[in-house]
Amino acid sequence: MDSATTSQVQLTVNGKPVTLELDTRTSLLDMLREHLGLTGTKKGCNQGACGACTVLVNNRSVNACLTLAAMCQGASVTTIEGISENGRLHPLQEAFIRHDAMQCGYCTPGQIMSGIACIQAGETYSAHAVREFMSGNLCRCGAYQNIVAAVLEVAEQAGGRR
Amino acid sequence: MRPVSYARATSVAEAIAALRAHPDAAFLAGGTTEIDLLRLDVVRPNALVDINALPLSRIEDLADGGLRIGALARMSDVAEAPAVVERFPMLMQALLLGASAQLRNMATIGGNLLQRVRCSYFRDVASPCNKREPGTGCSALDGINRGHAVLGTSDHCIATHPSDLAVALIALDAVVRTEGPRGARAFPIDEFFLLPRDTPHLEHPTEHGELVVAVDVPAAPIARRSLYAKVRDRESYEFALASVAAAMDVQGGVIRAARVALGGVATKPWRARRAEQILVGAPAQRDTYARAAREELASARPRQLNAFKVELAQRAIVRALETLAETGGPQ
């Protein structure tokens, strides 16, 4: 077993293969922002409390700040930059705009990634269920009402409402 | 964060050997506590051994009707396993009421049991803390101790054990299985957590290089009607001020068997054995629950800001048992 203070990591980010040699301490969040220029994913608290850094790893929502990049060897990572298709916004992005589900916008990428996970998990049978599932995403502007409305609307459109 | 080397283990034996070779190395699983504490300089391993590739994620039925939960199973996967939902609802609830969806996707069962305390003085390297630096004193004794423990405390540490899962597991008489330099070992979960006494830096009976590989949950028909109730400052994504894992078998208005454990109020996941003794054989009614709760908390040692927990824990016990008696547990 090789042990070193730099490590090579090969993974897929938004469908594209990536190989990087990184300091072992590099978080997935810093890898995305500093090494790949994907600054849509935000650094809020950097300690797993705010959810601004939420991305999907192998289709599961995680806090990129508490994940070391090295732990993502072989993984498939999806960020806010990777959810639009052919230049069209993801339905949840469109719903966030329609519902004005943000004020300053800093938490928005994390909210949207968490909202996608919420809809996939089917935890959209009530506003309370959405709030519970997404309680790991803080919005200090207090846009929760509209965030929940946007998630519920997309879930309904997708037939994901139970 | 200090420099730290990193390696991926491909077998349990390799992982154990890697730690044996480095006295200051640490296993890395979900990372949700460890990365945080590394950044805060609270833990200072010089080498991380990533165990995420080890085949320890399975949830298997045991021959007796119990479950073996692999140490690397993620909280979210265990919470939705049909065997857990049907046979151990208190376990499911304890998992789902902990952390956030993202953290539950990352955090492992083994890591959950080994998570460190949330005491703000433990997490602040500028503060004296007997757990972090033995002999420096406990800042919480006369500090901001609203979230701290009232049971199992000592003059050296009053930090609350933060796990919800462990509270349910201790009510279920789980067994923690390890592999290490001395081979395979099994610890009744109550013995897996040490009281702080005058050695709060010692939290588990395991030795360096010993790896938690699984948690066994023995069959418990009583647990089919069980619940985990959690009281906190906000409704979601918060640690418990008081929590109760409870199961009760009532026949003809009399309590035949009971399991009660407490979280949020003790220095370790707290099996409320005194309360259980009072409940068994007594009528299933409110004053029985209140007496059991009062007796369990009789040994509480509150500090300035957490005295409310003595009453809160009793109310939580009474509410949990009343709910069980009325509904037979969660639907």
Side-chain angles (χ1 to χ4, degrees):
Chain A
M1 192 169 55
D2 292 329
S3 184
T5 51
T6 63
S7 57
Q8 193 185 70
V9 57
Q10 290 179 291
L11 72 168
T12 305
V13 179
N14 297 332
K16 294 185 191 123
V18 171
T19 302
L20 291 167
E21 183 83 18
L22 297 168
D23 185 298
T24 53
R25 295 168 290 182
T26 310
S27 67
L28 173 60
L29 175 60
D30 285 342
M31 183 200 84
L32 292 169
R33 291 181 56 86
E34 310 293 335
H35 295 268
L36 299 179
L38 296 172
T39 53
T41 307
K42 300 303 185 211
K43 183 184 280 192
C45 68
N46 209 34
Q47 55 177 11
C50 77
C53 67
T54 302
V55 298
L56 305 183
V57 175
N58 297 330
N59 215 27
R60 292 158 67 104
S61 60
V62 304
N63 299 108
C65 73
L66 292 183
T67 304
L68 293 184
M71 294 164 69
C72 296
Q73 171 66 24
S76 173
V77 177
T78 305
T79 71
I80 189 74
E81 290 91 344
I83 60 171
S84 59
E85 279 184 43
N86 304 322
R88 279 204 56 187
L89 293 180
H90 186 279
L92 191 56
Q93 290 176 302
E94 291 178 342
F96 264 60
I97 294 168
R98 209 158 44 240
H99 286 271
D100 197 17
M102 71 207 73
Q103 186 173 318
C104 82
Y106 199 79
C107 74
T108 308
Q111 298 280 3
I112 289 174
M113 299 313 289
S114 211
I116 289 172
C118 183
I119 294 164
Q120 279 179 1
E123 295 292 328
T124 50
Y125 42 88
S126 69
H128 183 269
V130 173
R131 284 174 178 272
E132 173 61 35
F133 188 93
M134 293 180 61
S135 66
N137 291 81
L138 304 185
C139 170
R140 297 296 75 169
C141 302
Y144 295 111
Q145 198 80 7
N146 297 356
I147 292 168
V148 171
V151 172
L152 285 173
E153 184 184 272
V154 174
E156 199 159 19
Q157 288 166 355
R161 206 166 181 178
R162 294 198 298 218
Chain B
M1 199 190 293
R2 291 161 191 258
V4 61
S5 73
Y6 170 93
R8 296 178 190 106
T10 55
S11 71
V12 170
E14 190 183 48
I16 294 167
L19 252 71
R20 292 298 283 176
H22 294 276
D24 295 318
F27 295 124
L28 175 64
T32 55
T33 297
E34 195 168 9
I35 305 296
D36 190 27
L37 293 181
L38 271 163
R39 241 176 236 146
L40 293 170
D41 211 23
V42 170
V43 296
R44 299 171 179 178
N46 60 17
L48 293 174
V49 177
D50 185 340
I51 58 169
N52 284 294
L54 305 186
L56 300 173
S57 300
R58 290 183 51 168
I59 303 169
E60 301 167 279
D61 281 320
L62 294 172
D64 74 340
L67 283 181
R68 174 162 296 170
I69 303 172
L72 289 175
R74 310 289 149 165
M75 288 173 71
S76 51
D77 293 328
V78 178
E80 64 183 29
V84 172
V85 175
E86 288 158 23
R87 278 135 66 182
F88 304 101
M90 68 157 74
L91 202 51
M92 172 195 73
Q93 292 178 333
L95 286 162
L96 292 180
L97 291 172
S100 65
Q102 294 96 313
L103 291 169
R104 292 192 295 270
N105 282 339
M106 304 163 72
T108 65
I109 297 305
N112 184 293
L113 300 185
L114 294 166
Q115 69 180 296
R116 309 303 300 279
V117 300
R118 307 300 298 191
C119 172
S120 55
Y121 303 104
F122 171 75
R123 290 169 57 83
D124 170 24
V125 292
S127 296
C129 170
N130 288 323
K131 188 182 280 295
R132 182 168 28 74
E133 286 184 61
T136 56
C138 174
S139 304
L141 287 175
D142 297 307
I144 297 170
N145 49 33
R146 181 172 177 273
H148 287 69
V150 296
L151 292 169
T153 60
S154 76
D155 293 337
H156 306 279
C157 182
I158 59 171
T160 305
H161 195 275
S163 173
D164 294 298
L165 169 68
V167 177
L169 287 174
I170 213 157
L172 294 168
D173 290 325
V175 174
V176 180
R177 296 195 168 276
T178 67
E179 288 184 31
R182 283 194 267 174
R185 297 207 284 174
F187 299 89
I189 191 164
D190 206 4
E191 295 170 21
F192 187 73
F193 297 96
L194 306 180
L195 287 169
R197 304 186 197 280
D198 57 2
T199 53
H201 59 291
L202 303 177
E203 298 178 340
H204 305 283
T206 45
E207 60 185 325
H208 181 71
E210 193 166 357
L211 178 68
V212 175
V213 293
V215 176
D216 287 357
V217 185
I222 189 175
R224 284 180 179 267
R225 293 168 48 143
S226 66
L227 61 77
Y228 185 78
K230 184 173 178 181
V231 183
R232 41 191 166 169
D233 280 330
R234 59 182 178 197
E235 192 178 343
S236 183
Y237 194 23
E238 182 58 280
F239 291 94
L241 291 171
S243 68
V244 182
M248 197 161 60
D249 178 11
V250 178
Q251 288 174 31
V254 176
I255 302 164
R256 298 296 175 192
R259 304 276 186 97
V260 182
L262 303 176
V265 293
T267 53
K268 61 178 273 184
W270 192 262
R271 183 72 178 265
R273 297 193 189 279
R274 179 73 188 124
E276 291 177 1
Q277 284 170 0
I278 289 165
L279 291 170
V280 174
Q285 57 196 43
R286 186 184 174 91
D287 61 351
T288 300
Y289 313 147
R291 187 159 56 90
R294 193 164 57 243
E295 291 275 332
E296 187 63 47
L297 272 295
S299 61
R301 291 177 60 194
R303 308 294 302 186
Q304 188 186 3
L305 301 177
N306 66 0
F308 73 99
K309 285 191 173 186
V310 180
E311 175 69 23
L312 186 67
Q314 293 182 56
R315 293 188 191 185
I317 293 170
V318 171
R319 181 187 290 184
L321 295 176
E322 279 193 318
T323 304
L324 274 178
E326 284 165 15
T327 67
Q331 299 307 304

